[in-house]
Amino acid sequence: MTSSSRAPPRDQKRGDAEMFGAALSLPPLLLLLLCWAPLDEAAPKQDEVQRLPGLAKQPSFRHYSGYLRGTGSKHLHYWFVEAQNDPQNSPVVLWLNGGPGCSSLDGLLTEHGPFLIANMLYLESPAGVGFSYSDDKYYMTNDTDVAQSNYEALKDFFQLFPEYKDNKLFLTGESYAGVYIPTLAVLVMQDPSMNLQGLAIGNGLSSYEQNDNSLVYFAYYHGLLGNRLWSSLQTHCCSQNQCNFYDNKDKECINYLNEVSNIVGKSGLNIYNLYAPCAGGVPGHVRNEENTVIVQDLGNIFTRLPFRRTWHQALLRSGDKVRLDPPCTNTTAVSNYLNDPYVRKALHVPQQLPKWDMCNFLVNLQYRRIYQTMNAQYLKLLSAQKYRILIYNGDVDMACNFMGDEWFVDSLNQKVEVQRRPWLVGYGESGEQVAGFVKEFSHIAFLTIKGAGHMVPTDKPQAAFTMFSRFLNHEPY
């Protein structure tokens, strides 16, 4: 990131963006248009998006795009979409995508679309991601700094939108937001000015150890590892019915775990959805027409393997000629849309900022991971005995697999209130169908979505919407 521009003043008037041909189809935005009653409160008019280029019909609900103040000289880009039905009394829901280093606009544009039941706040975090930036152009950060910066941005949001300060607040996210959200929630729970009600995390990274250990079992029992490799892993990585696939020092074990890592992450399988095709074919190091190395590895599994350190050092030497894309995904449509100058103008993005990418390579590579587990954060939140927590997983995701998150929730040792059971979703003429399984404890639930991968709303929109509605409305799953 090389821009030294500042966010435009909040009192600066914005002109309507000019219309241009549809660069990106946004069906979630179009399918959920409903009548909306305007508020008479103090939303920042200068941030309101007047027209979205490329849409045949403009949304009938209000939405805003601008900047919130993070820590120091950080400016975090937000896109806030008011609920279509009774926004005054609907909850405010923060959504964060993970990475670390990937944009939450992925959630808005390719996963969700605006919800019927909530006011959705999408925050591009940390600085350096998407349209977010810092005046000092310093983008090395870590878990605790990001939590503090997100907290400052959330405070700034309620100053910009005071009409929402008493609404119920939920913190939600996906993937590395498994770290972002609990660390942020611990700060928010200490602020009486925010009406925190709970948090929901999808396919989250809750514990590196449990994620790695469970992934090997997941891979074997989904047919990815042959009997030879499985037997070798049992021999060299396990003893006394206990396996350590996380930080085992046995050289033979490490060699076999490298095999597992290559099968899961580099063989051409879609790590985000085992049963979906891999967009673009086999991932890896590819050079595009600009001679840029495209890296498709966010580095959240098997982080203790020795090759990781050498790999990181080599990539750092590549400098600015590296772009990070999520494995097996196609980000072209969203990138083209958000980099169109008319769209950037409509979203009040400073002209001097660099092009928008789904994920920022340098933010990811320089990110310091302080926490290896979120155990302490969840126990602190649960000790308050007033927040609703939902951990949910698509059950064919390999990046943050359901088994590891279920192990993690079990390890919190909370009182079981409802034993693991199927949960159902109605599918019209097909009737109610099993959408997954749920286990409920006091103040926390673990839930799976059958047949969904890492991006649950994209793969199973009706099940995801039903789950999310029940969570926000405190209804039984």
Side-chain angles (χ1 to χ4, degrees):
M1 303 290 284
T2 59
S3 172
S4 60
S5 63
R6 299 184 62 85
R10 288 191 171 119
D11 58 354
Q12 179 181 332
K13 293 183 179 179
R14 317 286 190 188
D16 283 358
E18 296 181 23
M19 290 292 291
F20 75 107
L24 173 67
S25 173
L26 298 176
L29 285 171
L30 300 178
L31 290 174
L32 297 179
L33 300 183
L34 294 179
C35 294
W36 175 88
L39 291 173
D40 295 324
E41 298 287 351
K45 293 294 184 183
Q46 70 278 3
D47 285 356
E48 185 171 359
V49 178
Q50 301 295 336
R51 299 188 69 82
L52 267 182
L55 270 68
K57 180 181 178 182
Q58 293 298 313
S60 57
F61 50 85
R62 283 185 177 172
H63 56 124
Y64 301 80
S65 171
Y67 285 85
L68 302 174
R69 290 186 293 265
T71 54
S73 63
K74 297 177 176 67
H75 306 275
L76 301 186
H77 176 249
Y78 80 93
W79 195 337
F80 177 58
V81 182
E82 290 183 333
Q84 288 89 332
N85 183 30
D86 192 17
Q88 302 96 320
N89 298 303
S90 298
V92 173
V93 178
L94 171 71
W95 174 269
L96 297 174
N97 279 87
C102 296
S103 170
S104 298
L105 299 190
D106 185 35
L108 169 61
L109 296 178
T110 72
E111 295 188 68
H112 303 161
F115 281 101
L116 294 163
I117 54 175
N119 303 292
M120 297 295 299
L121 172 61
Y122 298 88
L123 187 66
E124 295 198 280
S125 173
V129 173
F131 292 132
S132 295
Y133 67 99
S134 181
D135 291 333
D136 60 12
K137 296 178 284 187
Y138 182 77
Y139 297 113
M140 185 177 292
T141 190
N142 59 61
D143 293 333
T144 55
D145 286 351
V146 169
Q148 186 64 43
S149 194
N150 289 342
Y151 171 61
E152 296 296 333
L154 199 54
K155 288 198 298 184
D156 197 31
F157 170 80
F158 286 114
Q159 289 179 351
L160 275 180
F161 295 83
E163 63 270 32
Y164 288 114
K165 63 181 176 60
D166 295 325
N167 290 46
K168 293 179 179 179
L169 172 65
F170 292 89
L171 308 178
T172 68
E174 180 181 275
S175 194
Y176 201 80
V179 175
Y180 290 160
I181 293 298
T183 51
L184 172 60
V186 168
L187 298 178
V188 173
M189 71 182 289
Q190 301 170 61
D191 187 338
S193 72
M194 296 189 192
N195 188 15
L196 181 63
Q197 297 292 305
L199 49 151
I201 297 167
N203 293 78
L205 182 61
S206 304
S207 162
Y208 286 93
E209 181 174 1
Q210 286 163 321
N211 196 46
D212 284 358
N213 279 333
S214 58
L215 176 58
V216 179
Y217 288 98
F218 181 100
Y220 176 64
Y221 288 108
H222 281 81
L224 307 188
L225 314 181
N227 285 332
R228 176 200 61 80
L229 179 53
W230 180 245
S231 297
S232 300
L233 289 164
Q234 296 294 299
T235 300
H236 296 283
C237 304
C238 309
S239 63
Q240 299 178 335
N241 295 320
Q242 187 77 26
C243 296
N244 177 10
F245 303 124
Y246 169 60
D247 60 356
N248 204 307
K249 300 300 189 293
D250 183 282
K251 290 183 178 180
E252 290 298 315
C253 174
I254 291 171
N255 288 335
Y256 292 120
L257 286 175
N258 277 327
E259 276 194 59
V260 176
S261 179
N262 286 327
I263 291 169
V264 170
K266 294 185 171 60
S267 65
L269 295 171
N270 188 335
I271 192 171
Y272 289 146
N273 185 328
L274 175 58
Y275 299 134
C278 183
V282 177
H285 294 64
V286 182
R287 292 188 180 272
N288 66 6
E289 65 278 1
E290 298 174 351
N291 204 32
T292 297
V293 178
I294 301 175
V295 179
Q296 294 187 306
D297 188 341
L298 292 167
N300 291 328
I301 62 171
F302 300 124
T303 57
R304 296 298 181 96
L305 291 180
F307 82 88
R308 284 282 180 195
R309 290 187 291 273
T310 306
W311 181 76
H312 278 191
Q313 291 165 359
L315 286 177
L316 271 174
R317 289 193 293 270
S318 299
D320 294 333
K321 285 294 183 181
V322 180
R323 194 180 86 218
L324 179 65
D325 278 356
C328 293
T329 60
N330 185 347
T331 66
T332 302
V334 178
S335 295
N336 286 346
Y337 187 73
L338 292 175
N339 283 311
D340 187 281
Y342 295 114
V343 175
R344 289 166 66 111
K345 183 180 178 183
L347 297 178
H348 313 133
V349 174
Q351 290 183 355
Q352 302 91 332
L353 290 186
K355 69 184 292 288
W356 185 94
D357 283 320
M358 184 68 76
C359 301
N360 185 296
F361 163 71
L362 286 177
V363 169
N364 175 273
L365 199 61
Q366 297 178 129
Y367 192 97
R368 189 159 69 90
R369 303 156 191 262
I370 293 176
Y371 302 106
Q372 293 298 303
T373 176
M374 286 288 102
N375 183 276
Q377 286 77 9
Y378 277 103
L379 290 178
K380 186 168 185 176
L381 291 160
L382 289 166
S383 69
Q385 297 190 337
K386 63 179 182 179
Y387 305 119
R388 299 202 306 276
I389 301 175
L390 171 64
I391 307 295
Y392 65 92
N393 286 68
D395 64 7
V396 292
D397 173 34
M398 298 189 292
C400 297
N401 73 88
F402 79 92
M403 196 184 310
D405 275 332
E406 185 167 9
W407 289 358
F408 174 79
V409 173
D410 286 344
S411 74
L412 298 174
N413 295 317
Q414 301 300 295
K415 180 183 177 182
V416 177
E417 293 190 344
V418 180
Q419 291 288 353
R420 201 176 199 272
R421 62 171 178 81
W423 67 283
L424 308 178
V425 172
Y427 287 95
E429 294 181 358
S430 300
E432 287 195 317
Q433 301 291 329
V434 174
F437 295 84
V438 62
K439 177 163 47 177
E440 297 180 61
F441 304 81
S442 53
H443 301 288
I444 188 169
F446 174 76
L447 180 146
T448 66
I449 300 88
K450 180 170 65 74
H454 197 68
M455 294 79 164
V456 169
T458 301
D459 294 337
K460 298 290 180 180
Q462 187 166 348
F465 184 80
T466 302
M467 170 196 70
F468 196 71
S469 302
R470 291 172 184 173
F471 167 69
L472 290 184
N473 294 322
H474 204 184
E475 299 170 348
Y477 296 108

PDB file of all heavy atoms in Angstrom, residues 376-394:
ATOM      1  N   ALA A 376      -9.582 -18.573  26.603  1.00  0.00           N
ATOM      2  CA  ALA A 376      -9.722 -17.583  27.682  1.00  0.00           C
ATOM      3  C   ALA A 376     -10.782 -16.547  27.347  1.00  0.00           C
ATOM      4  O   ALA A 376     -11.555 -16.119  28.222  1.00  0.00           O
ATOM      5  CB  ALA A 376      -8.371 -16.909  27.943  1.00  0.00           C
ATOM      6  N   GLN A 377     -10.834 -16.121  26.087  1.00  0.00           N
ATOM      7  CA  GLN A 377     -11.811 -15.108  25.688  1.00  0.00           C
ATOM      8  C   GLN A 377     -13.237 -15.638  25.825  1.00  0.00           C
ATOM      9  O   GLN A 377     -14.122 -14.941  26.357  1.00  0.00           O
ATOM     10  CB  GLN A 377     -11.556 -14.661  24.245  1.00  0.00           C
ATOM     11  CG  GLN A 377     -10.356 -13.755  24.055  1.00  0.00           C
ATOM     12  CD  GLN A 377      -9.024 -14.492  24.086  1.00  0.00           C
ATOM     13  OE1 GLN A 377      -8.977 -15.728  24.081  1.00  0.00           O
ATOM     14  NE2 GLN A 377      -7.942 -13.751  24.107  1.00  0.00           N
ATOM     15  N   TYR A 378     -13.466 -16.874  25.384  1.00  0.00           N
ATOM     16  CA  TYR A 378     -14.811 -17.428  25.495  1.00  0.00           C
ATOM     17  C   TYR A 378     -15.214 -17.644  26.950  1.00  0.00           C
ATOM     18  O   TYR A 378     -16.365 -17.375  27.328  1.00  0.00           O
ATOM     19  CB  TYR A 378     -14.922 -18.733  24.709  1.00  0.00           C
ATOM     20  CG  TYR A 378     -15.176 -18.523  23.245  1.00  0.00           C
ATOM     21  CD1 TYR A 378     -14.156 -18.667  22.302  1.00  0.00           C
ATOM     22  CD2 TYR A 378     -16.437 -18.168  22.783  1.00  0.00           C
ATOM     23  CE1 TYR A 378     -14.388 -18.465  20.958  1.00  0.00           C
ATOM     24  CE2 TYR A 378     -16.673 -17.961  21.429  1.00  0.00           C
ATOM     25  CZ  TYR A 378     -15.646 -18.110  20.525  1.00  0.00           C
ATOM     26  OH  TYR A 378     -15.876 -17.899  19.184  1.00  0.00           O
ATOM     27  N   LEU A 379     -14.289 -18.117  27.749  1.00  0.00           N
ATOM     28  CA  LEU A 379     -14.625 -18.333  29.160  1.00  0.00           C
ATOM     29  C   LEU A 379     -14.971 -17.020  29.852  1.00  0.00           C
ATOM     30  O   LEU A 379     -15.862 -16.971  30.714  1.00  0.00           O
ATOM     31  CB  LEU A 379     -13.467 -19.039  29.876  1.00  0.00           C
ATOM     32  CG  LEU A 379     -13.240 -20.502  29.473  1.00  0.00           C
ATOM     33  CD1 LEU A 379     -12.036 -21.071  30.210  1.00  0.00           C
ATOM     34  CD2 LEU A 379     -14.483 -21.346  29.739  1.00  0.00           C
ATOM     35  N   LYS A 380     -14.293 -15.944  29.483  1.00  0.00           N
ATOM     36  CA  LYS A 380     -14.610 -14.639  30.070  1.00  0.00           C
ATOM     37  C   LYS A 380     -15.998 -14.192  29.631  1.00  0.00           C
ATOM     38  O   LYS A 380     -16.793 -13.683  30.449  1.00  0.00           O
ATOM     39  CB  LYS A 380     -13.562 -13.611  29.649  1.00  0.00           C
ATOM     40  CG  LYS A 380     -13.727 -12.265  30.330  1.00  0.00           C
ATOM     41  CD  LYS A 380     -12.511 -11.378  30.113  1.00  0.00           C
ATOM     42  CE  LYS A 380     -12.643 -10.086  30.915  1.00  0.00           C
ATOM     43  NZ  LYS A 380     -11.437  -9.231  30.800  1.00  0.00           N
ATOM     44  N   LEU A 381     -16.309 -14.356  28.361  1.00  0.00           N
ATOM     45  CA  LEU A 381     -17.634 -13.986  27.868  1.00  0.00           C
ATOM     46  C   LEU A 381     -18.727 -14.838  28.494  1.00  0.00           C
ATOM     47  O   LEU A 381     -19.787 -14.330  28.886  1.00  0.00           O
ATOM     48  CB  LEU A 381     -17.680 -14.117  26.341  1.00  0.00           C
ATOM     49  CG  LEU A 381     -16.853 -13.097  25.555  1.00  0.00           C
ATOM     50  CD1 LEU A 381     -16.574 -13.606  24.143  1.00  0.00           C
ATOM     51  CD2 LEU A 381     -17.565 -11.749  25.502  1.00  0.00           C
ATOM     52  N   LEU A 382     -18.474 -16.134  28.616  1.00  0.00           N
ATOM     53  CA  LEU A 382     -19.468 -17.035  29.195  1.00  0.00           C
ATOM     54  C   LEU A 382     -19.674 -16.785  30.682  1.00  0.00           C
ATOM     55  O   LEU A 382     -20.777 -16.984  31.205  1.00  0.00           O
ATOM     56  CB  LEU A 382     -19.049 -18.493  28.960  1.00  0.00           C
ATOM     57  CG  LEU A 382     -19.155 -18.972  27.504  1.00  0.00           C
ATOM     58  CD1 LEU A 382     -18.403 -20.283  27.305  1.00  0.00           C
ATOM     59  CD2 LEU A 382     -20.618 -19.138  27.100  1.00  0.00           C
ATOM     60  N   SER A 383     -18.636 -16.316  31.351  1.00  0.00           N
ATOM     61  CA  SER A 383     -18.752 -16.063  32.801  1.00  0.00           C
ATOM     62  C   SER A 383     -19.732 -14.945  33.099  1.00  0.00           C
ATOM     63  O   SER A 383     -20.288 -14.865  34.198  1.00  0.00           O
ATOM     64  CB  SER A 383     -17.374 -15.732  33.389  1.00  0.00           C
ATOM     65  OG  SER A 383     -16.918 -14.470  32.921  1.00  0.00           O
ATOM     66  N   ALA A 384     -19.983 -14.062  32.122  1.00  0.00           N
ATOM     67  CA  ALA A 384     -20.953 -12.985  32.327  1.00  0.00           C
ATOM     68  C   ALA A 384     -22.382 -13.513  32.349  1.00  0.00           C
ATOM     69  O   ALA A 384     -23.286 -12.872  32.879  1.00  0.00           O
ATOM     70  CB  ALA A 384     -20.802 -11.932  31.237  1.00  0.00           C
ATOM     71  N   GLN A 385     -22.597 -14.692  31.744  1.00  0.00           N
ATOM     72  CA  GLN A 385     -23.887 -15.376  31.727  1.00  0.00           C
ATOM     73  C   GLN A 385     -25.014 -14.511  31.171  1.00  0.00           C
ATOM     74  O   GLN A 385     -26.158 -14.567  31.648  1.00  0.00           O
ATOM     75  CB  GLN A 385     -24.249 -15.878  33.140  1.00  0.00           C
ATOM     76  CG  GLN A 385     -23.277 -16.911  33.672  1.00  0.00           C
ATOM     77  CD  GLN A 385     -23.756 -17.566  34.945  1.00  0.00           C
ATOM     78  OE1 GLN A 385     -24.578 -17.003  35.672  1.00  0.00           O
ATOM     79  NE2 GLN A 385     -23.269 -18.757  35.221  1.00  0.00           N
ATOM     80  N   LYS A 386     -24.691 -13.699  30.166  1.00  0.00           N
ATOM     81  CA  LYS A 386     -25.745 -12.875  29.566  1.00  0.00           C
ATOM     82  C   LYS A 386     -25.636 -12.743  28.053  1.00  0.00           C
ATOM     83  O   LYS A 386     -26.484 -12.113  27.428  1.00  0.00           O
ATOM     84  CB  LYS A 386     -25.766 -11.496  30.203  1.00  0.00           C
ATOM     85  CG  LYS A 386     -24.491 -10.676  29.995  1.00  0.00           C
ATOM     86  CD  LYS A 386     -24.644  -9.303  30.654  1.00  0.00           C
ATOM     87  CE  LYS A 386     -23.410  -8.441  30.438  1.00  0.00           C
ATOM     88  NZ  LYS A 386     -23.558  -7.102  31.049  1.00  0.00           N
ATOM     89  N   TYR A 387     -24.596 -13.330  27.462  1.00  0.00           N
ATOM     90  CA  TYR A 387     -24.426 -13.226  26.013  1.00  0.00           C
ATOM     91  C   TYR A 387     -24.786 -14.542  25.344  1.00  0.00           C
ATOM     92  O   TYR A 387     -24.493 -15.616  25.866  1.00  0.00           O
ATOM     93  CB  TYR A 387     -22.984 -12.851  25.663  1.00  0.00           C
ATOM     94  CG  TYR A 387     -22.521 -11.589  26.340  1.00  0.00           C
ATOM     95  CD1 TYR A 387     -21.446 -11.608  27.225  1.00  0.00           C
ATOM     96  CD2 TYR A 387     -23.166 -10.374  26.118  1.00  0.00           C
ATOM     97  CE1 TYR A 387     -21.015 -10.452  27.864  1.00  0.00           C
ATOM     98  CE2 TYR A 387     -22.747  -9.209  26.743  1.00  0.00           C
ATOM     99  CZ  TYR A 387     -21.678  -9.264  27.623  1.00  0.00           C
ATOM    100  OH  TYR A 387     -21.271  -8.118  28.253  1.00  0.00           O
ATOM    101  N   ARG A 388     -25.416 -14.444  24.159  1.00  0.00           N
ATOM    102  CA  ARG A 388     -25.708 -15.633  23.359  1.00  0.00           C
ATOM    103  C   ARG A 388     -24.570 -15.825  22.359  1.00  0.00           C
ATOM    104  O   ARG A 388     -24.222 -14.904  21.623  1.00  0.00           O
ATOM    105  CB  ARG A 388     -27.027 -15.477  22.616  1.00  0.00           C
ATOM    106  CG  ARG A 388     -28.217 -15.283  23.517  1.00  0.00           C
ATOM    107  CD  ARG A 388     -29.511 -15.676  22.811  1.00  0.00           C
ATOM    108  NE  ARG A 388     -29.718 -14.998  21.540  1.00  0.00           N
ATOM    109  CZ  ARG A 388     -30.253 -13.793  21.416  1.00  0.00           C
ATOM    110  NH1 ARG A 388     -30.563 -13.114  22.496  1.00  0.00           N
ATOM    111  NH2 ARG A 388     -30.460 -13.262  20.228  1.00  0.00           N
ATOM    112  N   ILE A 389     -24.017 -17.025  22.324  1.00  0.00           N
ATOM    113  CA  ILE A 389     -22.892 -17.308  21.442  1.00  0.00           C
ATOM    114  C   ILE A 389     -23.252 -18.486  20.551  1.00  0.00           C
ATOM    115  O   ILE A 389     -23.758 -19.510  21.023  1.00  0.00           O
ATOM    116  CB  ILE A 389     -21.613 -17.624  22.256  1.00  0.00           C
ATOM    117  CG1 ILE A 389     -21.252 -16.443  23.171  1.00  0.00           C
ATOM    118  CG2 ILE A 389     -20.447 -17.945  21.322  1.00  0.00           C
ATOM    119  CD1 ILE A 389     -20.080 -16.709  24.089  1.00  0.00           C
ATOM    120  N   LEU A 390     -22.985 -18.328  19.265  1.00  0.00           N
ATOM    121  CA  LEU A 390     -23.209 -19.402  18.297  1.00  0.00           C
ATOM    122  C   LEU A 390     -21.927 -19.655  17.519  1.00  0.00           C
ATOM    123  O   LEU A 390     -21.354 -18.740  16.928  1.00  0.00           O
ATOM    124  CB  LEU A 390     -24.329 -19.015  17.319  1.00  0.00           C
ATOM    125  CG  LEU A 390     -24.543 -19.942  16.119  1.00  0.00           C
ATOM    126  CD1 LEU A 390     -24.992 -21.332  16.577  1.00  0.00           C
ATOM    127  CD2 LEU A 390     -25.548 -19.344  15.137  1.00  0.00           C
ATOM    128  N   ILE A 391     -21.469 -20.888  17.559  1.00  0.00           N
ATOM    129  CA  ILE A 391     -20.350 -21.339  16.723  1.00  0.00           C
ATOM    130  C   ILE A 391     -20.958 -22.286  15.685  1.00  0.00           C
ATOM    131  O   ILE A 391     -21.533 -23.312  16.035  1.00  0.00           O
ATOM    132  CB  ILE A 391     -19.281 -22.094  17.536  1.00  0.00           C
ATOM    133  CG1 ILE A 391     -18.829 -21.265  18.743  1.00  0.00           C
ATOM    134  CG2 ILE A 391     -18.099 -22.472  16.647  1.00  0.00           C
ATOM    135  CD1 ILE A 391     -18.113 -19.998  18.401  1.00  0.00           C
ATOM    136  N   TYR A 392     -20.850 -21.917  14.401  1.00  0.00           N
ATOM    137  CA  TYR A 392     -21.456 -22.747  13.369  1.00  0.00           C
ATOM    138  C   TYR A 392     -20.429 -23.077  12.288  1.00  0.00           C
ATOM    139  O   TYR A 392     -19.513 -22.294  12.017  1.00  0.00           O
ATOM    140  CB  TYR A 392     -22.695 -22.078  12.761  1.00  0.00           C
ATOM    141  CG  TYR A 392     -22.436 -20.804  11.987  1.00  0.00           C
ATOM    142  CD1 TYR A 392     -22.212 -20.828  10.611  1.00  0.00           C
ATOM    143  CD2 TYR A 392     -22.444 -19.565  12.626  1.00  0.00           C
ATOM    144  CE1 TYR A 392     -21.983 -19.659   9.897  1.00  0.00           C
ATOM    145  CE2 TYR A 392     -22.227 -18.379  11.914  1.00  0.00           C
ATOM    146  CZ  TYR A 392     -21.999 -18.441  10.559  1.00  0.00           C
ATOM    147  OH  TYR A 392     -21.771 -17.283   9.853  1.00  0.00           O
ATOM    148  N   ASN A 393     -20.591 -24.239  11.665  1.00  0.00           N
ATOM    149  CA  ASN A 393     -19.643 -24.705  10.650  1.00  0.00           C
ATOM    150  C   ASN A 393     -20.348 -25.402   9.508  1.00  0.00           C
ATOM    151  O   ASN A 393     -21.162 -26.315   9.742  1.00  0.00           O
ATOM    152  CB  ASN A 393     -18.641 -25.706  11.248  1.00  0.00           C
ATOM    153  CG  ASN A 393     -17.603 -25.065  12.125  1.00  0.00           C
ATOM    154  OD1 ASN A 393     -17.908 -24.564  13.194  1.00  0.00           O
ATOM    155  ND2 ASN A 393     -16.362 -25.088  11.680  1.00  0.00           N
ATOM    156  N   GLY A 394     -20.028 -25.017   8.281  1.00  0.00           N
ATOM    157  CA  GLY A 394     -20.348 -25.864   7.147  1.00  0.00           C
ATOM    158  C   GLY A 394     -19.524 -27.125   7.271  1.00  0.00           C
ATOM    159  O   GLY A 394     -18.327 -27.078   7.578  1.00  0.00           O
TER     160      GLY A 394
END
